[in-house]
Amino acid sequence: MAIKVSGNAFQGISALGSSVPEAGFYEVSIVNIERAANDKPTTRRVHVQFENGFKMFSFLSVPFDDQGNMLTDLKPNQVRGRMAVLRSILESLGYSSSEIEGASEINLNWFLTAQNGGRKAHVEFIPGQKGVQGSYNEIGKWLNKKQFEAMKGAANTKPATTAPVASNGAPV
């Protein structure tokens, strides 16, 4: 008997025993960024892995196409907002302002923990509500190291305990 499975069939699947973490602040590895076939051209899935092995992905909107060309149909505030999220992720990985702003090209290797010298991101994790349709695990915020240490160390700081859900059951 042989087993033949495409490796990409395992994307987003955690090993047994890799349970959903509690709400909190975590250091995670970014293991993949992709645009799935059914996603919009400006949408990327950022796959992260927690220390306990739990894997999930979060959606990211980018202001450029697959070749790196800036999209011309976006309003300036849309471009600025999408770039701010990208910068937040880069700062979460420990890159400085001078590294980011002085780079001739920022590519996928900057984000992937396996390609960037082992840099890990810092996130606020919000678990979805069990048994509630349309409630998903989500990354509440991408935090730089200073923010992460302050949030993780603050006794009175608690992340949201569940992912927000709209009245129609969709995540917000």
Side-chain angles (χ1 to χ4, degrees), residues 52-129:
N52 74 346
F54 176 74
K55 293 180 183 177
M56 63 168 286
F57 65 85
S58 181
F59 289 103
L60 169 68
S61 292
V62 295
F64 42 80
D65 63 20
D66 290 339
Q67 290 73 43
N69 301 312
M70 194 64 70
L71 298 174
T72 57
D73 59 338
L74 295 176
K75 296 176 183 170
N77 64 332
Q78 290 174 304
V79 171
R80 186 173 179 81
R82 292 173 184 194
M83 292 300 292
V85 173
L86 285 171
R87 184 178 187 123
S88 295
I89 296 171
L90 288 165
E91 288 182 2
S92 177
L93 289 161
Y95 293 105
S96 68
S97 291
S98 60
E99 287 174 302
I100 295 167
E101 294 170 11
S104 59
E105 176 183 277
I106 293 176
N107 57 42
L108 190 62
N109 293 336
W110 282 58
F111 295 90
L112 301 178
T113 300
Q115 303 294 321
N116 66 15
R119 291 175 185 250
K120 294 188 178 185
H122 303 89
V123 299
E124 173 192 31
F125 174 72
I126 304 169
Q129 297 177 16

Side-chain angles (χ1 to χ4, degrees), residues 102-163:
S104 59
E105 176 183 277
I106 293 176
N107 57 42
L108 190 62
N109 293 336
W110 282 58
F111 295 90
L112 301 178
T113 300
Q115 303 294 321
N116 66 15
R119 291 175 185 250
K120 294 188 178 185
H122 303 89
V123 299
E124 173 192 31
F125 174 72
I126 304 169
Q129 297 177 16
K130 289 186 178 185
V132 176
Q133 186 175 351
S135 179
Y136 301 97
N137 300 319
E138 71 173 76
I139 293 174
K141 296 176 187 165
W142 296 88
L143 307 165
N144 64 38
K145 183 76 169 180
K146 187 176 179 180
Q147 293 168 324
F148 174 74
E149 294 296 335
M151 299 296 262
K152 190 168 175 131
N156 296 330
T157 304
K158 301 250 190 250
T161 56
T162 57

